[in-house]
Amino acid sequence: MKKIFFLLLGFLAFFNANAQLIAPVKWKTTTEKLNDTEFNLVFEGTIDNGWHVYSQFTPDGGPLPLLLDFKNQKSQYTLIGTTSESKTKRAFNDVFGVDEIYFEKKVVLKQKVKITGKSVSKIDVNVSYQVCEEKCINEDKDFEFIIPKMTASETAIVASPIGVDTTKAVARDSIKENVSPKVTITPTEKPKNEQGDDKGLWSIFFIAFLSGFAALLTPCVFPLIPMTVSFFTKQSKNKAAGVRNAITYGVSIIIIYVALGSIVTAVFGADALNALATNVWFNIIFFFLLVFFAASFLGAFEIVLPYSWANKVDKQADKGGIVGILFMALALAIVSFSCTGPIVGTLLFEAASKGGIGPIVGMLGFSLALALPFMLFALFPGWLNSLPKSGGWLNTVKVFLGFLELALAFKFLSNADLVLQLHLLEREVFLAIWIAIFGVLALYLLGKITLPHDSPLPFISVGRLFLGLFILMFTIYLIPGLWGAPLKIISAFPPPMEYSESPFGVGNSQGNSSIALPEFAHSGPHGIITFEDYDKGLAYAKSVKKPILLDFTGRACVNCRKMENNVWSDKRVLPILNNEVVLISLYVDEAIKLPVSEQFVSKTTGSKIETVGDKWTDFMISKYQTNTQPLYVLTDLEGNSLNTSTPTTSYEPDVALYESWLKTGIANFKK
């Protein structure tokens, strides 16, 4: 009887421990038959409240994007188009300095496939993604879609087996449930393909609107305002007709640019544009494109469309009427291309990176700002007298935009460098480039430097002086960044602090410089001596006779970075981490393959452990019965938890509580 009692207690303890394994997303899959050879594979996930799953279009350098791996495609089936997504949300992540794109409550993915093999009965798909709340889980699930054999006249949705939860922590190779597929006759649901949210589109519109005003103040556009308005008011039979023609002209400008945005979206597709915008090589190409645009604005050359285009359009404009006015607006777009082209190109790329109808919204904002002055001055011709005269200041605006384009170009090059981990454009180099660019811009605005198309400048205006002083102050603000200043105003642009030659500033290469780095260790956050291998860290802890702080973390774990930035950096916690424990950080999303001799099948989960991340995740689950990050455990030199009442802790922004937890464990170690 006593043995049965203890066995029952052991079972309950095991059950409660494993209850910590969390599965915040519940999936079901269906196969939609379109015809005899084409099908939609539909993944539908229900997300627990408070959790969110990152989209496949989450930009590089941020949290882990959702990835789909369609198995055994060769000679069996082909993918038609890209995988569409249900509605996502977008929010800026100040930890990674990128926009997060994510799902809340529900995620629907849909991929169209064409069967090319003779006897395809099923399609296997692996889906890996990151799901986060205050903690994160990296999940890896296998799904099996049954391909029904039906006549072309049948429209069927075939319910296929639900993929078994197979988080990287639980199982790499999931065991699929043996469920017989059901065939139900239901109308095929049209795929949703919505990207971003209202805030994202409003931000695109606002930035594009400001860019339109900037383009308006260039030498290619500004002089045309009084000329065009005067033409309509003088050539029209009466004032009302002149106003009507000018408004028609402004509306035509909007139609032309919105049509351009629509064409870009239609030709490439919203999803394809988004995928390109987050691609490494596309970022590199766009870097060179922006440098090319900047050189044009600075006066190296003019970007012009063929003159024959303008001549043909002018002939059509002479016909008069609404068609003639439309061609006059098109002539404006062609003639002013040398000034507006670089701005439009940059806007289209930025809007495309937001996905969906971003390019259309961007062109609407840009063209509205460009067209408004023509319409307003036609309504109130007296305002023309208050317009400043054309002159050298217009070229100054163009040059100013050129410097901004050049600075922005290095952001895209930095994105590519971060993903490829080449360390060619680390934080110090990036800041040095920006200091040089904005420093030269300040000298230019203060009249110390002239460029090819500048007019003689006997003096500078007060407005130009103020702008020059502002740019000079901004340049001086950037300089302390070389010595480790956080530069919060521009936190979204330069690489993160840890991606630098000296993570703790120039002249402080180790941070914790009073202690030499042991073998196999490196300088971690805030200079804390850190090991990324458990056995090597354990050996060092035994040699110095200190307790171990196990840090189960992830490269793309937001709250892990928040703990490091906000809690570990605190003056109450940092000395403890520097002097009283040995920190071992184990990255559960590390994709480095283990040598074949070190790969194994987990005794706890039955999954195959193939990567370094799999190894540490399996360690976390088998030892501590949880699959979330961050996770912190204080252990003695035999691997036993030192905090008896609270063996582990997770995301804890309360510094006092985290400090107390650390001190309790260390005190127990010293007993």
Side-chain angles (χ1 to χ4, degrees), residues 175-196:
I175 302 171
K176 300 179 182 69
E177 295 182 19
N178 185 16
V179 180
S180 299
K182 290 182 181 178
V183 179
T184 56
I185 307 300
T186 4
T188 302
E189 180 187 358
K190 292 184 179 180
K192 297 176 183 177
N193 190 20
E194 301 175 58
Q195 292 293 323

Side-chain angles (χ1 to χ4, degrees), residues 9-173:
L9 283 180
F11 173 77
L12 289 173
F14 177 80
F15 178 81
N16 288 333
N18 280 275
Q20 296 180 59
L21 296 180
I22 300 173
V25 189
K26 309 297 186 298
W27 291 91
K28 68 177 181 180
T29 57
T30 54
T31 304
E32 296 177 353
K33 181 169 182 177
L34 305 177
N35 54 51
D36 277 346
T37 60
E38 293 184 354
F39 300 85
N40 278 330
L41 309 182
V42 184
F43 310 76
E44 185 173 343
T46 302
I47 307 170
D48 289 350
N49 285 336
W51 291 81
H52 54 271
V53 172
Y54 291 105
S55 160
Q56 57 189 322
F57 301 118
T58 291
D60 295 327
L64 293 179
L66 182 146
L67 297 173
L68 297 102
D69 182 11
F70 293 85
K71 306 288 186 181
N72 305 318
Q73 290 185 49
K74 190 175 181 181
S75 303
Q76 299 295 308
Y77 63 95
T78 57
L79 305 181
I80 301 176
T82 57
T83 304
S84 65
E85 296 183 344
S86 55
K87 187 174 182 180
T88 56
K89 291 191 174 183
R90 179 182 290 269
F92 180 73
N93 186 314
D94 55 3
V95 175
F96 292 122
V98 299
D99 278 356
E100 292 178 341
I101 305 174
Y102 57 91
F103 306 94
E104 284 185 342
K105 297 184 179 179
K106 186 176 182 180
V107 49
V108 179
L109 309 169
K110 189 171 288 192
Q111 175 64 58
K112 188 176 180 181
V113 299
K114 182 179 180 65
I115 304 300
T116 55
K118 293 182 179 179
S119 57
V120 180
S121 60
K122 65 173 184 172
I123 293 176
D124 294 322
V125 187
N126 175 266
V127 182
S128 59
Y129 55 91
Q130 190 173 61
V131 54
C132 293
E133 187 198 31
E134 287 187 345
K135 42 193 173 287
C136 291
I137 303 171
N138 300 325
E139 296 199 312
D140 192 342
K141 299 181 182 294
D142 287 336
F143 298 97
E144 183 180 272
F145 289 86
I146 301 301
I147 303 301
K149 294 182 179 179
M150 295 182 180
T151 62
S153 61
E154 292 176 313
T155 303
I157 296 180
V158 183
S160 63
I162 298 175
V164 178
D165 284 0
T166 55
T167 66
K168 289 182 180 177
V170 178
R172 190 64 141 159
D173 300 318

Side-chain angles (χ1 to χ4, degrees), residues 188-206:
T188 302
E189 180 187 358
K190 292 184 179 180
K192 297 176 183 177
N193 190 20
E194 301 175 58
Q195 292 293 323
D197 54 11
D198 292 340
K199 289 184 179 178
L201 293 178
W202 275 112
S203 67
I204 293 171
F205 179 85
F206 182 69

